[in-house]
Amino acid sequence: MPVLMQGEKLEGQEGGRWEVVKKIGEGQFSEVYLVLELGSQDERALKIEKTSRVRTVKAEYKILQRLQDKCRQSVRVYECGEYPCPGPTSRFFMVMDLLGCNLAHVRRTALPEGQADPQTALVVGSSMLRALEEVHAQGFIHRDVKPANFCAKRGTEGTPSKVTWTLVDFGLAKQYMTDQGVLLDARPEASFRGSSTYASVNCHEGQDQSRRDDLWGWLYCLVELLDGTLPWRAERDAPPGGGTWAGGEVAAQLLPSPPQDGQPGPLQGQQQAGAGTGALRRDEEKEQIRQSKLQCLQQPQLLFSTMPCPQAVVEISAYLQRLGFADKPDYQWLRGRLLKLGDEGEAQAGPPPPQLAAEPATTNGVGRHGEEAVARQAPAERGSAQPQLGPEGAAAAGVSGADGASRDGQPPVQQQKQEEQQQQEGVDAPGLSKQRSRDRDRDRDRSKSRSRARSRSRGGDRERDGRGWEDGSRDGDRGRAQRGGTRELSSSRGRRSRSRGRRSRSRSREPRRRSRSRSRSRSRQRDGGRERRERPRDRERERDGARASRRSRSPERSRERDLERPARNRRQRFGRQRSQEQRGGGARSSEGVQRRGGTRSRSRTPLQQRADRGGRDRDRGGGAGGRQQRRREERASDVPAASPDAAAATGAARDHGATPAAAFLEHLPAPHGIGGAAEPALPLSGDAAAEPLAAAGRAGGTAYSADRHAQYRDLLEYVFALRHGALSVPAAAACRQLRGLEPSEAAGVLCWLLDELATATDPQHLPAVSAFCEELSAFAAGTAKRCLERAQQRGQQQQQPEPQQEERRQQEEGGR
Ligand SMILES: Nc1ncnc2c1ncn2[C@@H]1O[C@H](COP(=O)(O)OP(=O)(O)OP(=O)(O)O)[C@@H](O)[C@H]1O
């Protein structure tokens, strides 16, 4: 049962009144509703506690109140209040700005295979980093950094088109620095706080958290965004032995005190029912995750399974390992590394920050705040004063030592090759074997001390489980399961997760994944497949993967052949035409081109016809100006006049360096519609798209084949993401998906896409949509132009020998 009903009215402590519209989000401890402020009718979000026994909202409200004026990316809170519930207790609620959907939801629903391209990851990652930096600057750490806790937020007046990612859920946030700027001492031991999927190794090991731990969470979010998953996801998604997850116990442990209602609540019942086994399983699972994370500290490449690990991630991981408890992270440097993810960012990345220099920074975990003891516990383990990897480890991880130096003075690539060879021969690299045995000893010691610490702290731990509800579930089943008191992820969810896993594996067989999977297998071989194989779950995964690839082999090959066919046909056609021209001895210049165009005009697609018209304009002396004029006229005829506001917004977006695609985002549907109950049906995806696509294919003069459908679907999902304002995706990236299609087919799809975009959107959005379409067609026209130029160049090269032949013939005749 939801806590609030539609139409219900709530009153704040300062007299504000709100009416509930619908539920838009849910976490483990609270529900979030869309509400209307009575009077002004402004839309807001209202967060209310689910149970009176876990009270986080009031504390969260106070933190947000302190942050809102100082942090640009913070969510604004309006009022806090008490909702009278049946029974002796009430629940707290707070009213805040309404934000868009969270990143976990966007990733799963709007991104193909949950993966963003590096450009997108760069934009999203920077925004997340800035949000964290702002919070840290105010003396707080969040301690529950995960994609579900970043919500999309539109830009304000100055930057209307900008989508930023706002940090929500400060229920676990903690002050690490006093208002006077004095760092608080690290506690020698701390209980686990956060979500185990995104928690840092420090946190797993019972260390007090600081800024660096938020950044680990951020890095894991980034990796997941890029790769579509995390290596320890499998452990989370598939419970060992096919049992159910003990989410109930997790929540039950969080209960700070016995229930005040006097009745055993659902959570308490759950706790009594099976606390022992649940806690055990949870500990096992967390231990597996910790082990996985430890391996990834050694070899950041292991973080990635569907693509090669970007160097930026390797460097950030090495940097975070060196940060001490009290160290202030160098956010600017981190942003610089992020830029490397994008194509042109390399040059701006800048020199390494002090923490990456050869000598450890003097404040590294040591000093006036009592961190010395913590830092000394196991510097190599914690990676604070010394890099955790050490020179050998760093080299193994693909980092050329902390300061660029490499083992044995060899360049890192050479070392890597040597190690590869040794691994292939079944021999560990000398440095590596030492390092590994050290690591094994260290891990053994640590797990012993951890289990001691666990047995001490069990019961009082307040942790959060980041698995099940990380997307702030709007999933009715999940919500019911929690509310109904089982709080366990049902086995059907387990099945769903597993089948999702299978689906994602099978999706990875699609053609556009081929190169990635090739490089993945290469990088697996290179990156110490040995360690990976040591993990039983990996062995299973590998077996599954092998089975999947066996199954997929034949369709993949046939798809490959399909892809090659159009190019082959084109080559043959071009060859035939050339020989006909040679036989006919006709002019091969522009006249020839025109003639070819003429013979083909029956099957010209609308886009090609438009290009032809452009050509005629040029012949008539109109040139590019004529083409633009025609385009303007076309637009004017079928696009209603722009509303001044929308046009101004688009203009403003351009002024701020935003692309038209970004401007397009500005005019998307209300953010709360995304993923919520009122989410519009996805008209473009799946089988529903088959008919319009077939029509587009016919218009393009090619038969629409089922094989093509998968390719179109990717593109359409991409457009869907765009349309829902999920991400700032350049149109060129969407167009890239068109590559591999036969040009006429691609043109057909593109035309259909443009029409679809233009007609299915609200009229007031049209100026932005048309700008986006223009970007798309400019991209396509540019590509077409380049193709034409290349074809002409080839034609000219083939014509060149002819005058020489003619000369030779004349010479021969003269000689005779
Ligand atoms: N201001 C907001 N506007 C729109 N949606 C929001 C807002 N705040 C939160 N949400 C949505 O509600 C979900 C749950 O909110 P939140 O994380 O604060 O709840 P919680 O119970 O503290 O969650 P957790 O289980 O992670 O502790 C979020 O993931 C987000 O999708």
Side-chain angles (χ1 to χ4, degrees):
M1 268 282 288
V3 181
L4 300 176
M5 292 296 163
Q6 188 180 359
E8 213 168 327
K9 296 191 177 59
L10 287 91
E11 197 167 320
Q13 283 166 345
E14 287 164 36
R17 299 189 69 217
W18 298 274
E19 183 180 334
V20 176
V21 178
K22 62 173 181 178
K23 190 160 109 178
I24 54 170
E26 182 173 359
Q28 264 185 286
F29 306 107
S30 43
E31 289 176 0
V32 179
Y33 291 84
L34 166 67
V35 292
L36 283 180
E37 185 162 2
L38 293 177
S40 72
Q41 295 292 300
D42 284 339
E43 288 182 329
R44 305 267 181 251
L46 183 146
K47 179 171 175 174
I48 187 164
E49 289 161 348
K50 271 185 185 173
T51 160
S52 55
R53 280 169 281 135
V54 180
R55 322 209 80 159
T56 53
V57 166
K58 209 170 174 186
E60 189 179 348
Y61 175 71
K62 285 190 178 145
I63 294 178
L64 284 169
Q65 249 187 337
R66 288 185 58 174
L67 294 178
Q68 64 183 359
D69 294 328
K70 313 244 176 64
C71 308
R72 273 191 309 148
Q73 264 177 254
S74 168
V75 61
R76 174 163 287 277
V77 284
Y78 296 92
E79 232 182 283
C80 186
E82 237 175 319
Y83 175 72
C85 273
T89 51
S90 53
R91 295 168 196 186
F92 281 104
F93 69 86
M94 66 171 178
V95 179
M96 55 186 156
D97 271 339
L98 179 66
L99 302 168
C101 55
N102 69 53
L103 183 59
H105 185 81
V106 170
R107 198 181 64 75
R108 290 214 186 122
T109 56
L111 292 178
E113 306 205 16
Q115 282 177 291
D117 60 78
Q119 280 288 352
T120 305
L122 151 70
V123 173
V124 176
S126 312
S127 176
M128 291 162 80
L129 183 62
R130 199 169 291 281
L132 282 172
E133 183 181 2
E134 285 182 352
V135 170
H136 292 173
Q138 298 311 315
F140 287 94
I141 48 170
H142 188 273
R143 299 202 296 179
D144 196 11
V145 174
K146 60 181 178 183
N149 284 340
F150 284 94
C151 288
K153 183 184 176 187
R154 303 286 152 140
T156 44
E157 287 144 40
T159 52
S161 65
K162 217 171 156 197
V163 175
T164 51
W165 293 91
T166 299
L167 201 46
V168 295
D169 189 7
F170 283 75
L172 287 182
K174 175 179 173 272
Q175 204 167 2
Y176 73 93
M177 187 170 70
T178 65
D179 293 346
Q180 288 71 40
V182 179
L183 287 175
L184 300 174
D185 290 348
R187 292 170 296 169
E189 214 169 74
S191 38
F192 186 92
R193 296 279 191 280
S195 306
S196 46
T197 307
Y198 303 94
S200 68
V201 173
N202 301 328
C203 179
H204 279 280
E205 294 178 349
Q207 291 178 33
D208 206 5
Q209 294 191 49
S210 69
R211 288 168 282 191
R212 60 182 175 173
D213 302 288
D214 275 356
L215 292 181
W216 274 113
W218 165 76
L219 180 64
Y220 293 144
C221 293
L222 189 68
V223 169
E224 195 177 32
L225 192 61
L226 282 163
D227 196 47
T229 185
L230 283 164
W232 43 90
R233 267 273 176 218
E235 272 110 36
R236 302 242 56 177
D237 290 347
T244 55
W245 292 112
E249 278 79 15
V250 174
Q253 272 198 5
L254 306 183
L255 293 173
S257 54
Q260 293 147 24
D261 308 6
Q263 292 171 3
L267 299 183
Q268 197 193 7
Q270 182 68 26
Q271 188 180 22
Q272 284 161 357
T277 49
L280 239 152
R281 177 137 356 114
R282 198 169 57 252
D283 282 349
E284 270 171 26
E285 175 204 313
K286 274 212 298 207
E287 177 55 17
Q288 280 177 352
I289 293 175
R290 188 188 74 90
Q291 291 290 350
S292 276
K293 285 180 183 167
L294 272 174
Q295 281 189 323
C296 293
L297 291 186
Q298 302 284 327
Q299 290 187 297
Q301 287 88 343
L302 295 179
L303 285 168
F304 287 79
S305 58
T306 65
M307 62 182 280
C309 175
Q311 183 62 16
V313 170
V314 174
E315 288 172 13
I316 292 172
S317 167
Y319 171 61
L320 293 184
Q321 286 177 61
R322 293 168 144 232
L323 277 182
F325 172 84
D327 285 339
K328 181 179 176 190
D330 189 333
Y331 304 93
Q332 191 55 36
W333 180 85
L334 288 167
R335 259 190 294 280
R337 291 299 103 177
L338 268 191
L339 282 177
K340 284 181 78 177
L341 283 175
D343 290 337
E344 67 288 326
E346 190 89 33
Q348 300 166 40
Q355 286 90 343
L356 267 188
E359 286 300 311
T362 47
T363 56
N364 230 351
V366 184
R368 58 206 165 97
H369 309 298
E371 293 81 11
E372 194 166 16
V374 183
R376 280 198 188 140
Q377 275 174 0
E381 290 170 18
R382 300 174 52 248
S384 56
Q386 286 293 322
Q388 182 151 13
L389 301 175
E392 298 105 327
V399 193
S400 55
D403 47 2
S406 59
R407 183 161 45 88
D408 304 330
Q410 287 174 342
V413 180
Q414 224 170 308
Q415 277 174 27
Q416 201 175 357
K417 280 197 183 139
Q418 196 181 319
E419 282 161 16
E420 256 174 54
Q421 207 179 339
Q422 282 164 332
Q423 278 171 11
Q424 276 164 12
E425 289 162 11
V427 186
D428 263 356
L432 271 182
S433 66
K434 263 191 233 152
Q435 173 81 15
R436 280 181 197 143
S437 67
R438 269 203 304 274
D439 292 339
R440 272 194 290 272
D441 293 344
R442 196 183 59 205
D443 288 349
R444 218 174 298 127
D445 292 346
R446 259 192 293 187
S447 59
K448 271 187 207 155
S449 69
R450 220 184 15 268
S451 57
R452 275 200 298 276
R454 251 202 314 274
S455 56
R456 272 201 300 279
S457 68
R458 190 168 291 155
D461 240 19
R462 185 174 186 278
E463 69 165 60
R464 290 201 180 185
D465 182 355
R467 166 182 30 82
W469 300 275
E470 67 168 25
D471 56 2
S473 165
R474 290 163 192 172
D475 179 336
D477 289 344
R478 209 184 296 166
R480 270 196 295 284
Q482 287 172 48
R483 284 190 297 278
T486 61
R487 276 203 170 246
E488 291 191 350
L489 280 177
S490 66
S491 54
S492 75
R493 171 159 165 66
R495 273 198 301 279
R496 240 181 299 147
S497 314
R498 282 193 294 280
S499 77
R500 207 172 32 230
R502 273 198 295 276
R503 227 179 304 142
S504 75
R505 272 197 296 275
S506 74
R507 272 202 216 132
S508 72
R509 302 193 297 261
E510 285 175 17
R512 69 190 189 81
R513 287 257 161 271
R514 277 197 309 273
S515 66
R516 276 189 184 168
S517 61
R518 268 200 298 273
S519 64
R520 181 176 58 215
S521 64
R522 267 202 302 275
S523 74
R524 273 220 192 108
Q525 280 171 5
R526 190 178 60 236
D527 301 333
R530 196 183 167 89
E531 274 100 339
R532 264 188 94 76
R533 276 194 297 279
E534 277 167 16
R535 293 160 56 192
R537 203 160 284 284
D538 282 339
R539 267 204 301 276
E540 268 173 36
R541 231 184 286 165
E542 273 175 22
R543 263 205 306 275
D544 281 358
R547 250 180 253 140
S549 80
R550 268 202 301 281
R551 275 199 301 274
S552 74
R553 216 167 277 158
S554 50
E556 204 174 278
R557 265 210 300 271
S558 73
R559 225 171 282 155
E560 218 168 315
R561 275 198 299 274
D562 259 16
L563 280 174
E564 281 165 6
R565 200 172 299 140
R568 230 182 10 243
N569 292 346
R570 240 188 348 265
R571 276 199 299 275
Q572 285 168 358
R573 205 162 47 217
F574 187 70
R576 266 201 306 277
Q577 273 164 2
R578 201 152 48 82
S579 55
Q580 271 168 10
E581 281 160 14
Q582 276 169 359
R583 268 201 306 278
R588 290 168 190 86
S589 58
S590 60
E591 190 198 324
V593 173
Q594 276 177 10
R595 193 156 47 78
R596 279 202 298 278
T599 54
R600 282 216 246 148
S601 64
R602 263 168 311 196
S603 62
R604 308 286 285 167
T605 66
L607 193 75
Q608 285 166 329
Q609 283 166 13
R610 205 181 293 175
D612 289 345
R613 282 201 300 270
R616 282 199 294 277
D617 286 343
R618 200 179 41 243
D619 293 346
R620 274 190 244 119
R627 206 164 43 239
Q628 275 170 9
Q629 176 63 27
R630 176 173 286 280
R631 217 181 283 154
R632 266 198 295 275
E633 282 165 14
E634 277 171 7
R635 260 210 315 279
S637 64
D638 46 42
V639 174
S643 80
D645 281 356
T650 313
R654 284 231 175 86
D655 293 346
H656 282 84
T659 61
F664 170 73
L665 295 179
E666 170 55 19
H667 300 279
L668 290 161
H672 51 80
I674 306 161
E679 183 178 5
L682 172 57
L684 298 176
S685 77
D687 296 332
E691 184 36 44
L693 285 170
R698 283 194 294 275
T702 40
Y704 174 74
S705 69
D707 274 355
R708 289 276 183 249
H709 189 57
Q711 274 175 304
Y712 291 140
R713 202 180 48 219
D714 283 346
L715 174 69
L716 298 174
E717 280 173 4
Y718 216 77
V719 172
F720 178 66
L722 273 174
R723 188 196 268 186
H724 282 68
L727 300 162
S728 162
V729 189
C735 286
R736 239 174 264 142
Q737 305 253 347
L738 286 168
R739 287 194 186 140
L741 297 185
E742 217 274 339
S744 63
E745 197 177 8
V749 173
L750 195 61
C751 283
W752 169 76
L753 188 62
L754 296 176
D755 282 352
E756 213 286 337
L757 277 172
T759 52
T761 319
D762 194 305
Q764 70 166 8
H765 305 154
L766 282 173
V769 173
S770 71
F772 177 78
C773 291
E774 204 173 315
E775 197 186 342
L776 271 174
S777 49
F779 177 87
T783 310
K785 197 171 153 221
R786 275 195 301 280
C787 290
L788 192 65
E789 279 167 6
R790 269 204 300 273
Q792 279 171 348
Q793 271 169 13
R794 271 201 302 272
Q796 276 165 9
Q797 277 166 9
Q798 278 150 2
Q799 283 168 24
Q800 263 169 9
E802 287 176 12
Q804 290 166 7
Q805 279 172 11
E806 183 66 15
E807 232 171 75
R808 212 176 311 135
R809 194 174 53 79
Q810 281 171 3
Q811 277 171 5
E812 279 169 12
E813 273 176 7
R816 255 184 265 142

